[in-house]
Amino acid sequence: MPTNFGKRSLAAPCYSMVPWEIMMDAREVAMLKAMMEWEGRRTAPPHGFPSLPDMPAGRYTSPEYFALEREHIFRKSWLFAGHIDEIPEPGCHVRWENAGEPLIIVHGMDGVVRAFYNTCRHRGAPVVTAERGKSSRLMCAYHHWTYKTDGSLAGIPEQRDFIDFDPSCRGLIAVRCEMFGNCIFINFDDEAMSLLDWLGPLADEWAEFGFDRVRLAARHSFELKCNWKVAMEANMEVYHVPFIHPNTVAPLVDSRRNFNSFYANGHARMLAPAPPTTDREHVRAIESPPEWKSIDTVGELGRTCTQSYTLFPNWVSPLSNFFVPPLIFWPTSLTTTRLELITMALDWGEGPVPDLWTVPDATSPNGRQMSPIILEDTQFGEAIQKSMASRAFKSVPLSYQEARIYSFHQQCDRMIGIENVPPALRVEQVLGTEWRAPTDPRVAQMHSETSASAQQLAS
């Protein structure tokens, strides 16, 4: 297995524990369950929660802001690039261009996973032209410059004709590449923090979901005709659930009893139980078909609630005891997006290959179509984008329930550099660090109100 786990191991601290040690602490579970109930009872936003100013409409329609996103957000953030199953053995390599730059991701002969620009150091030809392959050397077809899997230049034809040529200075240009479990991430910024530091508390919270054990079951892409944030934000709030998903998501997610947590670096989590009226036997039949293998380390909340994580900038994923199924949103232009639908699960053996997000469709180019839930979330994207282009679209007001979206936009501007964002396109940084887990003041407010209610009942 690859060994490049960043500044400290991403494997041993998180995954070398017995199940009851990596599950969430019982007190934290109790607190989160109480917070969900408190959210359902509240009659107004929490005391002191900031009023969220309208967001400028141009954040979705401005070519200037889109250029800033591409240059800063997608060149400074850790981006999901793939799974070790796609390059399972030393010498395996795959082309990767989702962030607009031509890269090669290589499983080195020394076992280390690396990423390089797919650009020969001679005259710029692509070193790899096939989508994927396996070789102990990478050779540019144009002039047969040859590189080792660690990126160093191994040899060139007619080296005698190059004057003062130093091969050690002509290796492939590397891109930061680190792993979380079996997942491969890249970062174009040489000065970026480590992946583990970028994940922050998520690394600990994700420990129970077996990132080092899940295999890649499905990975399919679909083109959407809307801005990447329009598509992604449909998965960052449950305000829409009763209206868009009445028969699919609504029976599984109580949109009133959802508790959103905010983290550093723009990450967030939504946690919600099923509605009280839900038939649990029906839900169990949906959530746990007999052929699916359960991740035995997942704790109570992962088994009984819906929890969805936003990993900044473009990953949204519900995590459960059956799947790690991220939705990845790649901007391809101001008004178009490539949506990757990925399912990772425990080894399914001889059984059917798990695929949470797509269904067979003989009429589609890749033989798959988006599942009904994803179609419900994406059905309005093109119409929304066209409507946003009208003069009537001036700004975006967000509710407390949509604060994950506002927090996300604040991080967008911070990654760009607030001073680099034209004032007319900025969002105000009103959601401060005091609202981040684990010091979230809503917890103290919930305890205070619960205690006061208990005293009233006692008297």
Side-chain angles (χ1 to χ4, degrees):
M1 287 294 294
T3 57
N4 54 326
F5 289 113
K7 294 182 179 178
R8 75 175 193 265
S9 172
L10 294 181
C14 293
Y15 301 115
S16 61
M17 310 175 187
V18 293
W20 54 86
E21 287 178 316
I22 68 172
M23 288 182 184
M24 192 177 293
D25 180 88
R27 290 171 297 181
E28 187 173 2
V29 171
M31 181 273 291
L32 290 171
K33 290 167 69 174
M35 287 303 302
M36 288 186 281
E37 297 306 317
W38 177 76
E39 288 280 3
R41 294 193 304 268
R42 64 177 177 79
T43 57
H47 177 70
F49 196 85
S51 174
L52 304 178
D54 281 20
M55 297 195 308
R59 297 176 72 85
Y60 301 89
T61 60
S62 163
E64 182 179 10
Y65 192 77
F66 179 72
L68 291 171
E69 292 174 335
R70 293 292 296 267
E71 177 61 26
H72 296 278
I73 295 174
F74 283 87
R75 293 194 64 83
K76 298 177 183 177
S77 303
W78 283 100
L79 307 173
F80 174 78
H83 188 282
I84 192 61
D85 281 355
E86 296 172 286
I87 47 171
E89 299 173 350
C92 290
H93 54 266
V94 62
R95 288 191 301 127
W96 190 85
E97 300 181 0
N98 280 334
E101 297 275 7
L103 301 186
I104 322 165
I105 301 174
V106 183
H107 191 154
M109 299 306 292
D110 57 0
V112 177
V113 172
R114 299 179 176 89
F116 304 101
Y117 284 97
N118 187 17
T119 305
C120 182
R121 296 300 305 280
H122 179 213
R123 285 166 59 187
V127 177
V128 170
T129 55
E131 183 177 352
R132 61 186 68 244
K134 182 180 181 182
S135 175
S136 62
R137 293 287 190 270
L138 304 172
M139 186 171 68
C140 175
Y142 196 6
H143 294 99
H144 282 202
W145 279 39
T146 304
Y147 303 86
K148 297 180 181 180
T149 57
D150 65 2
S152 60
L153 182 62
I156 65 174
E158 302 293 345
Q159 185 170 338
R160 63 180 182 170
D161 288 335
F162 288 84
I163 300 172
D164 297 328
F165 184 82
D166 182 359
S168 68
C169 300
R170 304 290 180 173
L172 296 175
I173 303 298
V175 174
R176 291 279 299 279
C177 182
E178 297 180 18
M179 297 187 67
F180 184 78
N182 289 332
C183 294
I184 304 166
F185 289 81
I186 64 99
N187 194 316
F188 292 98
D189 183 3
D190 290 337
E191 303 302 317
M193 65 181 71
S194 71
L195 173 60
L196 190 60
D197 289 338
W198 177 255
L199 291 171
L202 269 61
D204 293 327
E205 294 184 16
W206 286 5
E208 66 185 82
F209 295 99
F211 275 75
D212 64 332
R213 293 187 286 149
V214 292
R215 296 194 56 202
L216 179 63
R219 184 175 187 175
H220 301 288
S221 296
F222 299 88
E223 304 302 319
L224 306 178
K225 295 181 179 180
C226 61
N227 183 272
W228 69 283
K229 298 186 299 299
V230 170
M232 184 168 164
E233 289 167 11
N235 297 274
M236 293 172 66
E237 45 86 4
V238 293
Y239 186 33
H240 71 286
V241 165
F243 318 110
I244 302 299
H245 306 293
N247 301 312
T248 52
V249 180
L252 307 177
V253 176
D254 189 333
S255 60
R256 291 180 59 84
R257 290 189 295 160
N258 78 95
F259 177 58
N260 290 286
S261 298
F262 311 101
Y263 303 93
N265 303 321
H267 313 319
R269 178 189 64 196
M270 184 281 295
L271 185 64
T277 56
T278 293
D279 180 348
R280 289 305 304 171
E281 290 303 317
H282 173 68
V283 171
R284 190 172 293 112
I286 295 174
E287 293 181 336
S288 55
E291 67 270 17
W292 292 0
K293 293 185 178 180
S294 179
I295 303 169
D296 57 4
T297 50
V298 174
E300 178 183 353
L301 296 181
R303 294 174 180 272
T304 62
C305 297
T306 295
Q307 54 186 330
S308 177
Y309 282 89
T310 304
L311 174 61
F312 190 91
N314 65 334
W315 158 308
V316 179
S317 178
L319 297 179
S320 77
N321 56 314
F322 292 107
F323 293 111
V324 174
L327 292 78
I328 315 290
F329 300 84
W330 299 106
T332 51
S333 75
L334 175 62
T335 58
T336 58
T337 301
R338 178 178 300 113
L339 169 59
E340 279 199 291
L341 301 175
I342 299 168
T343 301
M344 293 180 270
L346 293 183
D347 195 311
W348 46 93
E350 299 299 321
V353 179
D355 189 339
L356 186 62
W357 299 129
T358 75
V359 295
D361 183 354
T363 65
S364 297
N366 61 0
R368 308 293 296 185
Q369 180 54 276
M370 292 182 282
S371 70
I373 289 176
I374 301 299
L375 286 173
E376 289 169 353
D377 273 327
T378 59
Q379 63 181 312
F380 294 119
E382 183 176 359
I384 289 172
Q385 193 67 44
K386 288 181 179 179
S387 183
M388 282 179 165
S390 76
R391 296 181 181 180
F393 182 57
K394 299 182 181 299
S395 63
V396 178
L398 294 176
S399 68
Y400 166 69
Q401 277 203 42
E402 299 163 294
R404 276 171 76 193
I405 296 174
Y406 197 91
S407 174
F408 166 82
H409 278 264
Q410 287 190 167
Q411 178 67 13
C412 286
D413 283 7
R414 289 195 295 267
M415 290 296 292
I416 293 169
I418 296 173
E419 70 283 357
N420 296 323
V421 181
L425 295 174
R426 293 177 193 167
V427 294
E428 296 182 41
Q429 300 285 317
V430 299
L431 193 55
T433 58
E434 69 274 14
W435 294 98
R436 293 179 187 167
T439 59
D440 191 332
R442 290 174 294 176
V443 176
Q445 184 175 340
M446 181 270 295
H447 284 309
S448 176
E449 293 179 4
T450 301
S451 177
S453 297
Q455 290 177 4
Q456 287 179 353
L457 289 174
S459 62

